[in-house]
Amino acid sequence: MSGEPVLERVTVGGGVALRASGVWTAQYAHVIERMIDTAEKGERGQVAVLIDVSKVAKLDTFGAWLIERLRRGLVEGGSDSRIAGLSDDYSSLVDEVRRVASVAVTPAPRFSIVGMAENVGRSVVDIADMMVALAGMTGALVVAFGNVLRRPATFRLTSMVHHVEQVGWRAVPIIMLITFLIGCIIAQQGLFHFRQFGADVFVVDMLGVLVLREIGVLIVAIMVAGRSGSAYTAELGSMKMREEIDALRTMGFDPVEVLILPRILALLVALPCLAFIGAMSALYGGGMVAWLYGGVDPDAFLSRLRESISIHHFTVGMIKAPFMALVIGVVASVEGLLVEGSAESLGQHTTASVVKSIFFVIVMDGVFAIFFASIGI
Amino acid sequence: MADDAIIRVRDVSVQFGSRRVLDGLHLDVGRGEILGFVGASGAGKSVLLRTIIGLVPRLGGTVEVLGTDMGTADAATRRGVERRWGVLFQHGALFSSLSVRQNIQFPLREYLNVSPRLLDEITLAKLAMVGLKPDVAGRFPSELSGGMIKRVALARALALEPEIVFLDEPTSGLDPIGAGDFDELVRTLQRTLGLTVFMVTHDLDSLHTACDRIAVLGDGKVIADGTMSDMLASQHPWLQAYFHGPRARALAS
Ligand SMILES: Nc1ncnc2c1ncn2[C@@H]1O[C@H](COP(=O)(O)OP(=O)(O)OP(=O)(O)O)[C@@H](O)[C@H]1O
Ligand SMILES: [Mg+2]
C-alpha cells in the first residue's frame, strides 16, 4: 500500500490533469474531501481537466464517490472533465456511484416561536385524544366483560390467575416493606412534633386515620402503577410492535378480551388486597415506633386505635382501591396499544403510562376526599 | 487456501441447554472468497454465524478472524477486528428509533471524521447500491417493507467498507430482480474491494451466480464443502434432495 492519498496537478500536452494516487478509502475520506474541494476551486474556469486515477492503489466507495464528486464539481464549474485510467475492477464501482444523484443537504429544523406554540397546541389536542382513548378503552372493557358474562367459558381464568400472581402475590414483600417504613416515619414525625404540646397519644389517631383512609391505598396504588402499570404497557407495547396483536385480531380474537380484560381483573383483585396488607403493615410499623420511640405500649396503642377510628375510615380506604386499579389498568392498556414500531416509542409510552396513572390516582383520591367529606364520612 | 484463510473455525461446539447445535465444526474461508453456507432450517447456520462474530458462547474450539484468535484477544484488539466486518442479521436488526439515514450513518459517525455533506452523499450511494431510492432515507424501520429492511441492513453492513461481510439470508424477502441485483452487487464488491463474504442462504440462484464455494451444514458439522459442480455431483442424499429437488430442476431447465 502506498500510503496517504495524493492529488497532484500536472500539465500534459496543452491541458491540465489531476493525478490521484495512494489509498483512496474511507479511512482517509476527510483528507480526500479537503483535497478535492481545493482542486475544484483551483481549476474553476479551465476548459478541460482530466482526472487520472491510474495510480490509485486502493479504491472503495468513499474514494469512488469523491472522484465522481470532483468530476461533477468540475463540470458544473464549466470544465470538460473526464475520468481516465480506471482499471476494469474499479470502473464498475465508479459506475455504481455514478447513479447516485447529488444531494441537497437538508437543514436541521430550527427553533422558533411558532414551533413552540404549535407544540403547546399539539399537547392540548393530545390530552383530549387521551381522554377519548381512555373512555374508549373503558367502553371496550365493558363490552368484553359483557361477552365474558354471556359466555363464561371464554374467560381466560389461567391468564388472570397468572397476572394476579405477578401483580399481587409477588408485590407483597415490597409493598409490606415500603408501607411499614412509611408507618414508622409517620409515627416518628408525629411523636416528635406532638410531644411539644404533650399530645403524644394523638399520634395514634393521626396514624390510624391517615393510614386507613389515605396513605395506605395511595402509596400502594402508586407502587402498583410503577410496578405493574409499566409492565402492562411494556408487554402490550412490544406485542403491538411485533404484530402479535394484529395476529390475534386476524384469528378472530378480541385483543381487549384476550389480553386486557384478564390483566385489569387481576389488578382489581390484587390492588385491594395489597392496599389492605399495606395498611396493616403501616399500622404495625407505626405501632412499633410508638412503642420503642414514644413509649406507648402495644396495649395502650390498640385501645387508643379502637377508640379513634371507626369502620368508616377503613371502608373509605378500601372503596377507593378498585377504582384506582381500574384507572391504572386502563391507562396502561391505552398507552400499550399506542406504541408504534420503535423501541423509543415503547419507552416513551411506558413512561407516560406511569406518569399518567399516578396523576389520575392522585386526582381521583382528591375527588373521593371531597365526596366523602360532603356526605359526611 | 488454508494458509490464506481469513476466517478459521476449529473444532467449535455450541450447546443450548442439553441440545448440541454445533459439534466440532471446522471451516475455513479464504480472503476474497464468497462462501455460500447452506443447511436445513434449524440446522444451526445462524448459530454458527453468531458464534463466529462472538455473540454466542462456545463450548469449545477456536475462532480466528483476520488472523486474530477471538477467544483470547483483548477487548481493544477484538474491537479492531469488529470494525473490519459488517453483519446483516436474519431479521435486519435496524435500530428502530433511528431513521434509515441515521441507521446507515451510525457506524460512519462513530469511526470516521467526515463532513455532514459527505455522510449524506455516502448514505445515498449505499442506498442506491442496494437498490433503494433516496426518498426512503428519512423513513423509520417500522415504515419499511420486509425486503426494504433487508436492503437497508445490508447498506448499514457495508457502510464502513468492511473486509468481511456476514450475511444471514440476504435475499430472502427480496423479489427475484432485487435478488439478482444483489448477487451482482456482491460480485462487484468482491472484485473491486476484495470483499470476503460469508453468506447463509437458501437461494439457489445466489448459490449459482454469486458463490465461489458452498459449505453444507448437517448434524452440527460441515458435511460437504466445494464448488457448485462438486455439490451437484455429490451422492449425499440430503445434497441430492437439495440440489436436484423440483425447485432446483426448475431452475436448471
Ligand atoms: N438462543 C437460543 N437458545 C436455544 N436454542 C437456540 C437458540 N438459538 C438457536 N437455537 C436453536 O439452535 C438451532 C439452530 O438454529 P439456527 O437459528 O442457527 O437455525 P438456522 O440454520 O439458521 O435455520 P434457518 O434457515 O431457519 O434460519 C435451532 O434448533 C434453534 O432452536
Ligand atoms: Mg437462520
Side-chain angles (χ1 to χ4, degrees), chain B residues 40-47 49-50 90-91 168-169 200 202:
Chain B
S41 219
K45 304 178 296 294
S46 301
V47 169
L49 192 153
R50 296 169 67 89
Q90 191 165 6
H91 303 289
D168 200 345
E169 302 195 14
V200 173
H202 292 301

Side-chain angles (χ1 to χ4, degrees), chain A residues 31-260:
Chain A
V31 185
I32 304 173
E33 198 182 8
R34 243 177 290 128
M35 283 185 330
I36 66 156
D37 282 345
T38 329
E40 208 181 297
K41 288 201 196 78
E43 304 309 326
R44 184 146 296 162
Q46 288 286 347
V47 181
V49 183
L50 190 73
I51 305 169
D52 176 10
V53 294
S54 54
K55 295 276 191 304
V56 170
K58 198 169 172 219
L59 191 71
D60 66 7
T61 326
F62 281 78
W65 165 253
L66 287 167
I67 286 170
E68 170 66 12
R69 184 167 124 184
L70 174 61
R71 189 191 66 83
R72 285 188 196 179
L74 291 172
V75 170
E76 260 167 43
S79 330
D80 177 20
S81 175
R82 248 167 3 91
I83 299 173
L86 265 182
S87 69
D88 282 349
D89 282 352
Y90 291 151
S91 69
S92 50
L93 193 62
V94 176
D95 286 343
E96 287 276 353
V97 297
R98 187 158 291 172
R99 294 188 309 203
V100 180
S102 303
V103 267
V105 180
T106 42
R110 306 246 326 248
F111 175 83
S112 74
I113 300 288
V114 177
M116 233 168 75
E118 185 188 326
N119 281 342
V120 172
R122 279 187 199 283
S123 312
V124 174
V125 173
D126 284 349
I127 292 173
D129 286 350
M130 185 68 199
M131 291 301 164
V132 173
L134 289 178
M137 178 56 73
T138 316
L141 273 171
V142 171
V143 172
F145 192 64
N147 286 340
V148 164
L149 283 187
R150 273 192 290 121
R151 288 172 290 130
T154 60
F155 182 60
R156 275 148 230 282
L157 186 67
T158 322
S159 164
M160 180 178 145
V161 171
H162 168 78
H163 288 295
V164 169
E165 185 191 340
Q166 291 295 324
V167 304
W169 182 240
R170 283 171 190 261
V172 168
I174 184 70
I175 295 274
M176 279 177 66
L177 178 67
I178 301 278
T179 48
F180 176 83
L181 292 175
I182 300 261
C184 292
I185 294 165
I186 292 175
Q188 190 272 337
Q189 285 294 307
L191 282 166
F192 185 76
H193 291 280
F194 286 9
R195 192 170 278 165
Q196 295 168 10
F197 317 110
D200 302 29
V201 78
F202 288 110
V203 164
V204 183
D205 299 47
M206 180 182 78
L207 186 72
V209 173
L210 207 55
V211 163
L212 291 181
R213 270 187 98 108
E214 297 293 336
I215 298 290
V217 66
L218 200 58
I219 294 286
V220 168
I222 288 174
M223 291 208 42
V224 167
R227 193 179 169 280
S228 309
S230 60
Y232 282 3
T233 306
E235 285 164 16
L236 293 171
S238 59
M239 289 172 97
K240 172 98 187 297
M241 264 164 78
R242 297 208 240 139
E243 301 176 323
E244 292 173 42
I245 290 184
D246 297 337
L248 269 179
R249 225 173 242 139
T250 53
M251 291 178 212
F253 293 100
D254 174 12
V256 174
E257 197 178 315
V258 177
L259 299 174
I260 298 177

